[in-house]
Amino acid sequence: MKNSERSRLNGEAEEEDDEEENLNGGLEAWERSYADDRSWEALQEDESGFLRPIDNSAIYHAQYRRRLRGRSLTAATARIQKGLIRYLYIVIDLSRAAAEMDFRPSRMAVVAKQVEAFVREFFYQNPLSQIGLVTVKDGVANCLTDLGGSPESHIKALMGKLGCSGDSSIQNALDLVHGLLNQIPSYGHREVLILYSALSTCDPGDIMETIQKCKESKIRCSVIGLSAEMFICKHLCQETGGTYSVALDESHSKELILEHAPPPPAIAEFAIASLIKMGFPQRAGEGSISICSCHKEVKVGVGYTCPRCKARVCELPTECRICGLQLVSSPHLARSYHHLFPIAPFDEATPSRLNDLHNISRSTCFGCQQSLLASVVQGKS
């Protein structure tokens, strides 16, 4: 009896193993990880017969541009006023939760890569705005970079300080950012973007009071979660007028971060028109030697001269450290105007519409004043 029972149990175990192999396609665990990834679908053969990865960045960028264009047109139609000069602090969670590997290779690496892309896109769409970086780890918030208009300096500082440890604290980050943004002039739009990986926050006091202070200071706080939804993050965004979202995967998180690059609608109390003094500095000569007011260093032939106090600065846009004048260049001002007030969409001129008597006034091109009817006739012939 014992031998028969043993053989019966062995037979059942073999059947279960066969069923498991059938469910998994007969693949080992390490093989299934690649099968789920389906990395071979991201390859294509080039002219020389070599396999090259497919570059989907152009497709993703085109999709992002379409969404951005749609939002801009909607805002232009609704006459929504947006902020011209933004002061944004990006708070990056570098607690032990950022070392999780559900995002490949880790949350920290993915966030650093996407922050780099966001910083470049932000300055492309907001030439007059400034960004600062804040990191949170071991329960302490540290200011990595001050507000500035140089994307390269922010990216370089971030890549040199990547390391995860300890717990995260939303309250400490908000207290630090609140003290920094409280010094911003009234015409600036104060914003905070928190990239949060943890599922908890280790705070030294009442975080509700800190949220109320941010609300009173007109600081718009937005949060992008990388793990799961948290009540305190949602409450923070609702109170300050920001947005809260949770990323599903790497591509989704990139979309969510880039959605914060266009200027958001202005807060009603900030929507009042005001005049801002700005200076247009001249570029220094190649052989000139002077002390830079930004870094307190002697530099040769690099920088711009403030038109008010004649101080030397390295880059534009920025605020003069001596007299406090906002220093910009004319291309920055023109690009800001272009992004804030997009042109209306063009209507496709079909032959049927051109032949309509109600559209006679639209039968000529707005740019060259040539007849559109003639081009249609030539196309038919």
Side-chain angles (χ1 to χ4, degrees), residues 208-278:
M208 295 300 177
E209 295 180 359
T210 305
I211 294 176
Q212 191 63 28
K213 287 195 304 182
C214 293
K215 181 179 179 181
E216 294 173 356
S217 299
K218 307 299 184 296
I219 300 177
R220 185 195 303 270
C221 302
S222 301
V223 181
I224 297 178
L226 300 180
S227 51
E229 182 176 307
M230 292 176 57
F231 167 76
I232 192 63
C233 295
K234 188 175 183 180
H235 178 71
L236 169 65
C237 298
Q238 290 176 347
E239 289 293 318
T240 59
T243 58
Y244 179 49
S245 50
V246 179
L248 302 177
D249 51 24
E250 182 179 349
S251 60
H252 187 218
S253 65
K254 184 176 181 180
E255 292 179 5
L256 294 177
I257 293 176
L258 290 179
E259 284 179 358
H260 292 272
I267 300 176
E269 298 172 358
F270 282 169
I272 303 174
S274 59
L275 296 177
I276 305 172
K277 288 186 178 181
M278 290 187 175

Side-chain angles (χ1 to χ4, degrees), residues 76-143:
T77 305
R79 298 296 181 185
I80 299 175
Q81 185 172 350
K82 295 184 177 183
L84 183 66
I85 302 178
R86 304 167 61 189
Y87 295 91
L88 171 67
Y89 268 101
I90 304 176
V91 179
I92 304 174
D93 179 13
L94 293 181
S95 62
R96 67 170 66 95
E100 296 290 335
M101 301 178 65
D102 50 353
F103 286 57
R104 297 180 182 179
S106 66
R107 295 180 183 176
M108 176 187 65
V110 170
V111 168
K113 181 180 178 181
Q114 294 175 355
V115 167
E116 178 182 357
F118 171 78
V119 169
R120 300 185 188 280
E121 183 68 20
F122 178 87
F123 285 115
Y124 175 76
Q125 298 197 36
N126 307 271
L128 302 181
S129 302
Q130 297 183 24
I131 279 183
L133 298 180
V134 172
T135 58
V136 183
K137 63 179 179 179
D138 296 325
V140 180
N142 299 306
C143 183

